[in-house]
Amino acid sequence: MKKSQLTFPALLLVLTLFLSASWVTLSSSVSGDLISCLQSKSNNVTIISQLVFTPVNASFLPVWQVAVQNTRFLKPSTTRPSVIVTPVEETLIQTSLYCAKKHGYEIRIRSGGHDYEGLSYTADVPFVMLDFTNMRSIQVDVAKRTAWVEAGATLGELYYSISQETDTLYFPAGVCPTVGVGGYMGGGGYGNLLRKYGTAADNVVDVRFMDVDGNLLDRRSMGEDLFWAIRGGGASSFGIVLAWKLRLVPVPKKVTVFILNKTLEQGATEIFHKYQYVAPTIDRNLHIRTQVFAEYIGNTTKKTIRIMFEGIYQGTSDTLLPLLGKIFPELGVTREICEEVKMVQSTVVFWGLPSSTPTEILTNRSAIAKLNNKSKSDYVRTPIPIRGLRKIWRKLMENDGSALLMINPFGGRMDDFSETSIPYPHRAGVLLQILKTVNFNGQPSDATPTSLRRIAWLQSLDALLTPYVSNNPREAYSNYNDLDLGVGSANYEEASVWGERYWKKENFKKLIRIKAKVDPNNFFRRPQSIPVF
């Protein structure tokens, strides 16, 4: 037998192209029934052709790719939709829902945000992707201190829209302007204002929602149980959020921001140790986020830890400096590093850009780099001792430079809420939330030997942190979805492995009861969605 002349990489390329071509052929053939259904239910076939895409359309791949915010899913092996629907109004959503159910397709709902595990735009079954990119209007009512925001808008677009109407109102949501509003609210949502105003979901006052039968509901017509569930319990488990009505909160015309770095040689360990006690208990107007990196010292081969402290204070530096001077002088905040800016500018600063950057950048989805990472989350309820911090620092120094810890203090207003007030349970007693990330920069995929080593390192860090983070359950943030926690949902015992980490037992059981009432056949499902038993 003649020996094959194909090298392994070449063979892999041929196989990938073959599978890709096979997938396109299969998707095209199985999507015909759905397209026919959509056309038969529409009064305007031309509109259908402009808003619905299948793999045979030249625009299909660009439409799918443009809002894949985590680029590790931009690879041929990622399964894609059979059909993409980009509605401009609610009738096409109702039609898509009807046709998907009739012809046996699942639905995934994409509002265009980060989606750490790609669950809104990939699945291992035939599915329709509802892409809300065309439904992103924002209506701000300054007099009533509210805003209606469609599901396809981003936080950056929301912040910019508010800032065009007023400098003294804002919304207490996340730092990243590229996060999609639709999914963000459904998972709870936290940000720089959580210590003063709670989570984003705590400040949702109404909703426009489509249930599994295509009925349009608001808070009154859906009832308080379902309204409770979709604010932190993963709204896409229960139906389709079309728009959120948000309560805007007061902010001063100018807030104070500062950024400073401390290394081990500058006492970072001792400063961070005290930070754990101070940041969750200090004045609610002050939020100090930290980012922790391992890096080389100058041009040497010796590593150190650098901790970046990023502060935002709802007031002037004249008030902030005495406050920190009395309670946390070790941090070393001085007037020279403080800058007084509008609240919308603080979002730009926390995104890593100069405060002078035009705030229009918050609306430019293509101007800000996408993610390329794997992440995990934890909550800290007891300060980590210095010996524990040193273990963590040593583990970080073992990393190849791809790791980041991002740490946010809780306390303040978060302590005022019961852990059952909405499904988001991480309330009183939480000191810090930790996001642990490795990136795949410089790698063609997340499956190369280097990428796999980075993932293994992240898992070893996760194990190292076990004694220092919450337990029974070990809490995790559902918006930082992590399929490593498990995906089984055949029974409560199986689902509780991951469900109780996100929502705790009482909330998770209540979510399951509500799900059974509003979607008894479990049409709205995906990995780690609320199950029906």
Side-chain angles (χ1 to χ4, degrees), residues 411-436:
R413 179 70 173 136
M414 294 293 280
D415 288 344
D416 299 339
F417 289 95
S418 161
E419 64 181 30
T420 60
S421 60
I422 62 173
Y424 182 94
H426 318 293
R427 302 291 193 165
V430 172
L431 302 178
L432 308 171
Q433 182 195 64
I434 303 178
L435 172 65
K436 306 159 288 183

Side-chain angles (χ1 to χ4, degrees), residues 163 165-170 196 249-257 312-316 339-346:
S163 72
E165 302 294 332
T166 175
D167 290 330
T168 58
L169 293 174
Y170 216 59
K196 189 166 187 180
V249 300
V251 294
K253 285 190 174 182
K254 290 291 181 73
V255 299
T256 303
V257 296
I312 175 171
Y313 178 67
Q314 301 296 303
T316 66
E339 185 177 8
E340 295 179 6
V341 298
K342 294 179 180 179
M343 189 66 195
V344 69
Q345 290 173 287
S346 76

Side-chain angles (χ1 to χ4, degrees), residues 241-297:
V241 172
L242 305 170
W244 300 95
K245 186 179 183 181
L246 310 177
R247 178 192 300 113
L248 304 183
V249 300
V251 294
K253 285 190 174 182
K254 290 291 181 73
V255 299
T256 303
V257 296
F258 64 84
I259 297 175
L260 61 83
N261 292 276
K262 297 290 185 179
T263 64
L264 295 185
E265 295 71 27
Q266 296 169 317
T269 302
E270 292 73 21
I271 293 171
F272 186 86
H273 184 252
K274 183 170 181 179
Y275 164 85
Q276 297 176 99
Y277 293 88
V278 172
T281 59
I282 203 167
D283 188 327
R284 295 183 180 194
N285 287 303
L286 177 60
H287 183 85
I288 306 175
R289 181 179 78 170
T290 56
Q291 298 189 57
V292 186
F293 314 84
E295 59 188 23
Y296 289 103
I297 300 174

Side-chain angles (χ1 to χ4, degrees), residues 95-267:
T95 301
S96 300
L97 178 58
Y98 169 83
C99 292
K101 289 194 297 181
K102 179 179 180 180
H103 293 287
Y105 292 82
E106 292 188 9
I107 274 186
R108 297 291 184 270
I109 304 160
R110 183 166 79 173
S111 63
H114 289 182
D115 192 356
Y116 281 11
E117 296 282 15
L119 301 180
S120 64
Y121 50 81
T122 182
D124 56 6
V125 295
F127 72 103
V128 177
M129 186 181 82
L130 284 177
D131 189 331
F132 278 86
T133 186
N134 293 326
M135 295 183 67
R136 49 210 271 195
S137 73
I138 299 168
Q139 298 174 341
V140 176
D141 189 327
V142 174
K144 294 182 178 179
R145 296 187 174 185
T146 60
W148 271 106
V149 186
E150 285 191 313
T154 64
L155 293 182
E157 290 165 345
L158 170 61
Y159 297 148
Y160 181 76
S161 296
I162 296 170
S163 72
Q164 295 305 290
E165 302 294 332
T166 175
D167 290 330
T168 58
L169 293 174
Y170 216 59
F171 185 70
V175 171
C176 302
T178 48
V179 169
V181 165
Y184 174 80
M185 305 295 172
Y190 75 96
N192 284 344
L193 290 173
L194 91 161
R195 300 193 62 255
K196 189 166 187 180
Y197 294 114
T199 69
D202 293 322
N203 293 280
V204 170
V205 294
D206 208 339
V207 69
R208 189 159 176 81
F209 182 85
M210 186 179 295
D211 70 10
V212 70
D213 297 315
N215 299 310
L216 295 173
L217 307 174
D218 60 9
R219 178 175 184 171
R220 178 176 294 182
S221 57
M222 71 169 50
E224 287 301 305
D225 273 357
L226 181 53
F227 186 63
W228 176 89
I230 62 175
R231 291 174 299 143
S236 62
S237 288
F238 303 93
I240 304 169
V241 172
L242 305 170
W244 300 95
K245 186 179 183 181
L246 310 177
R247 178 192 300 113
L248 304 183
V249 300
V251 294
K253 285 190 174 182
K254 290 291 181 73
V255 299
T256 303
V257 296
F258 64 84
I259 297 175
L260 61 83
N261 292 276
K262 297 290 185 179
T263 64
L264 295 185
E265 295 71 27
Q266 296 169 317

Side-chain angles (χ1 to χ4, degrees), residues 342-458:
K342 294 179 180 179
M343 189 66 195
V344 69
Q345 290 173 287
S346 76
T347 298
V348 173
V349 171
F350 266 70
W351 191 242
L353 300 172
S355 61
S356 58
T357 305
T359 55
E360 286 84 357
I361 195 170
L362 298 176
T363 68
N364 188 340
R365 299 186 180 204
S366 62
I368 300 173
K370 294 187 177 186
L371 308 172
N372 183 18
N373 60 23
K374 168 68 181 177
S375 300
K376 294 178 175 293
S377 60
D378 266 310
Y379 290 85
V380 174
R381 290 180 173 270
T382 303
I384 302 172
I386 284 181
R387 66 180 180 277
L389 294 175
R390 287 174 176 153
K391 288 181 181 180
I392 296 167
W393 303 161
R394 286 195 294 270
K395 174 58 69 172
L396 281 168
M397 289 183 192
E398 294 173 7
N399 182 265
D400 63 0
S402 63
L404 164 69
L405 300 185
M406 186 173 292
I407 302 169
N408 277 274
F410 275 37
R413 179 70 173 136
M414 294 293 280
D415 288 344
D416 299 339
F417 289 95
S418 161
E419 64 181 30
T420 60
S421 60
I422 62 173
Y424 182 94
H426 318 293
R427 302 291 193 165
V430 172
L431 302 178
L432 308 171
Q433 182 195 64
I434 303 178
L435 172 65
K436 306 159 288 183
T437 295
V438 291
N439 67 60
F440 304 111
N441 297 344
Q443 299 300 305
S445 79
D446 59 355
T448 67
T450 296
S451 294
L452 294 176
R453 281 195 298 272
R454 291 175 181 177
I455 293 172
W457 178 90
L458 181 62

